[in-house]
Structure formats: structure tokens, C-alpha cells
Amino acid sequence: MAAAARVLETHDIMSTVLTVSGFVGAARFHSVNPIFIVETRSDMNFVDLRTRNPFPALLEWFEQHDPVSAVGTSSLQYIPWMCLIFHALRIWRKQTGVEDQLALPTTMALWKPVKDIITSWFDEKAENCEEALLNCKGSLDLRKTQLTSTTKAVAVAKGLIERSAVPEGCVVPFILVGLQAFRDAHDGSIPLRNKLVDFHTNTESYVRLSDIYKAQAAAEAAEVHRYAVEALTSYGWSAQQLPLSVVSSVCSNTPWDMGAIEWTPLAAELEAPPAGKGWYAALGSCHAYAGDAALFPGSQVYADVEAVVSSVKACLLYTSPSPRDS
């Protein structure tokens, strides 16, 4: 098996090894290079609509739709929740003397005055009001969102680039570097997705806001693309290897959840099983037991289970795969 593993790794072919020794089994996946994963789930736990810090085109639209001037009119019930919260936060900061124009309440108790401002505009609860109250929370500031898996993927990507070990034709590491460069340039903000979530408003407002958000998403994807191409060309590859359409597709799903899975090369694993992997010892002891008893543990229905387990434990000194496995 070790010889086969070296051949597979030479040609960068991923391998899967299934081993069963009686009541102990293992599935092992191996690849020389890490595998990058981009989640494409639509049920995101948070969505960045720039409520806290709107970009210029969105700010202009928010300014044109002030809920205070719409109180008592039918148009109030069609002002989207993002706009309601934006104006309520502006009033809250003025009332409390908060100088930071991007500040958010830090506790649920501090959010209560903001919610009270929103509800004061309505004689009765409307759907957009309910949506606004539901979204009055700290996740509006996505700079504080811990994107653990994405952060790890960026670190893996940078490591590959620094070691000149990027697999031929694999552009994902450079996209990850571009995403991180974007966040660094924008105070931790995440590129906008080019899909607008559903919210209560009228058709005219939804269409207009959809156009505004999509235009900004395209501009931000282009910025990520520019950073990624800089890293790619510095590496010595052609900019043509990374079309803007690829980066735009990634940005439409990321970086909500990206990841990098690193593998132990199979040949190295066979030569020196990783420390702390208890199942290696268990698997090895089962092999040793099978060599002595000519049976795999658990293969006899009426066997003395305690005696078998005791014998397997006695073989625990055998901590590497059996010669029979190779």
C-alpha cells in the first residue's frame, strides 16, 4: 500500500482507504494538496445589507425614504426594515450623545430604545415594523462575525502561495487572498452577495433596491478580483487564468462559509501514524489479534467477548498498520 500511495501522490490523485478489522474499521481520505470548500447554502444565519454603514447609493435611497416624514401615511408600511433601523439608529445616537455614527447598541437592553423609536412610528404593528424589530441585533455589524473556517482557509491558501506549492490551475488560493485583502481594506466588511433577500416593501422599492445592491455587489466583486489577480500574477501565472465571472460566483456565496481540508499524505501516515490518533492503535491491535488467532475480533457470534477484548487490549503495543495491510 505504501508503494501505491507514493505513486498516487506523485500524480496528485486523491485516495480513499477502507479498512475493517472485526469490530474496528476506518475510512481514510488522503491527498497531497488541501481541498477548498465553498458552501452555497441559501439559509444564511446573517445577511449583510449594510444597514449600519450604507454605501453612497444606498445612503441616498435611505435619505429619500425617511420614516419620520412618512408617519401617518400609507407609504410608511412599505419602507424596508433596513431603512427603518438606519433612521432609528441615527435618532438613538443623537438622543444618547453617541458620537460614533456607526455605533450599535451592545446589549439587548440598549436595543430597547431603538425598538421603541421604530414602534412609535406605527399606530399598529405592520410587517415591515416586525421585520425591523427582529433584526435589531448586533449581527448588523459583520466585522465582529467570527468566520473561523474562512480564516483557516485563507491561512492555508497563503501558506501554499508562500511555499510555491499551489496545484497547477487551482485559482481558489488567490481568490481567498483577494477576499482577505478586501476585508482588510474595508474595516472587516464582507463583499456583498449579488442576491437580495426577501423583505416587505412595494414592487417599485424592491426593484430599485435590488438594482442598487447588485451594482454594489458587482463593484465589490471586481475589487476582490483585482486583489486576487495581483496575487496571481505575482506568483507568475497569467491573469487570464482567473476570469472576473469566477470571482463573482465565489463572492455571491462567500465568505459566509469557506473551508480548507488538509490531509496527511498516505505514504507518510503509513510510515509514522500521527500521535494522538487512538484508532490507529486500536486498528493495529485488531490486526495483531487476527494474526495470532486467524480470526478478526468479533467475527465469532458465540465467542467470549470479554476474553476477546482482553486479548485485543494485550495487542495495543502494536500501533502501526499490520504488514498484511500493505
Side-chain angles (χ1 to χ4, degrees), residues 25-84:
R28 290 168 286 177
F29 304 91
H30 302 274
S31 175
V32 175
N33 298 306
I35 293 179
F36 293 97
I37 298 173
V38 179
E39 293 283 357
T40 57
R41 299 171 299 178
S42 59
D43 54 335
M44 302 299 175
N45 292 326
F46 50 85
V47 177
D48 185 6
L49 294 178
R50 304 294 167 83
T51 306
R52 168 184 161 272
N53 186 21
F55 47 91
L58 184 62
L59 176 60
E60 181 181 357
W61 195 93
F62 281 177
E63 296 285 11
Q64 294 170 355
H65 296 79
D66 186 350
V68 175
S69 61
V71 170
T73 69
S74 59
S75 62
L76 178 63
Q77 63 181 313
Y78 297 115
I79 296 179
W81 65 262
M82 307 88 71
C83 189
L84 294 177

Side-chain angles (χ1 to χ4, degrees), residues 183-196:
R183 296 197 73 187
D184 292 342
H186 294 274
D187 196 24
S189 293
I190 300 169
L192 278 173
R193 303 180 73 206
N194 63 2
K195 300 165 187 168
L196 191 59

Side-chain angles (χ1 to χ4, degrees), residues 108-275:
M108 292 303 295
L110 291 177
W111 271 108
K112 187 178 183 304
V114 178
K115 292 181 178 181
D116 290 342
I117 292 169
I118 294 173
T119 55
S120 70
W121 296 330
F122 294 84
D123 295 328
E124 56 184 30
K125 292 290 179 68
E127 191 170 344
N128 61 334
C129 176
E130 295 287 358
E131 289 178 345
L133 297 178
L134 183 64
N135 284 284
C136 282
K137 50 190 176 182
S139 60
L140 290 176
D141 185 359
L142 294 188
R143 297 175 307 162
K144 298 178 181 178
T145 301
Q146 298 300 314
L147 303 172
T148 306
S149 61
T150 303
T151 301
K152 177 185 175 182
V154 169
V156 172
K158 288 183 175 179
L160 286 174
I161 294 172
E162 291 170 359
R163 299 193 308 272
S164 298
V166 180
E168 184 62 35
C170 181
V171 296
V172 177
F174 304 103
I175 296 175
L176 281 162
V177 168
L179 285 167
Q180 186 59 51
F182 178 92
R183 296 197 73 187
D184 292 342
H186 294 274
D187 196 24
S189 293
I190 300 169
L192 278 173
R193 303 180 73 206
N194 63 2
K195 300 165 187 168
L196 191 59
V197 297
D198 289 333
F199 51 83
H200 184 75
T201 187
N202 55 31
T203 302
E204 180 183 356
S205 294
Y206 189 88
V207 170
R208 178 58 185 141
L209 283 171
S210 181
D211 290 342
I212 290 173
Y213 277 108
K214 285 182 178 180
Q216 183 66 19
E220 294 184 3
E223 184 176 347
V224 173
H225 179 253
R226 185 173 71 253
Y227 292 133
V229 167
E230 288 176 2
L232 184 105
T233 53
S234 296
Y235 193 75
W237 288 7
S238 168
Q240 294 180 341
Q241 291 180 258
L242 184 54
L244 174 58
S245 60
V246 173
V247 176
S248 297
S249 178
V250 173
C251 286
S252 70
N253 295 299
T254 62
W256 313 113
D257 199 355
M258 297 187 72
I261 302 176
E262 296 184 278
W263 313 87
T264 302
L266 181 55
E269 178 186 303
L270 291 172
E271 293 170 5

Side-chain angles (χ1 to χ4, degrees), residues 314-325:
C315 297
L316 278 175
L317 291 177
Y318 188 94
T319 58
S320 62
S322 164
R324 297 178 187 80
D325 197 29

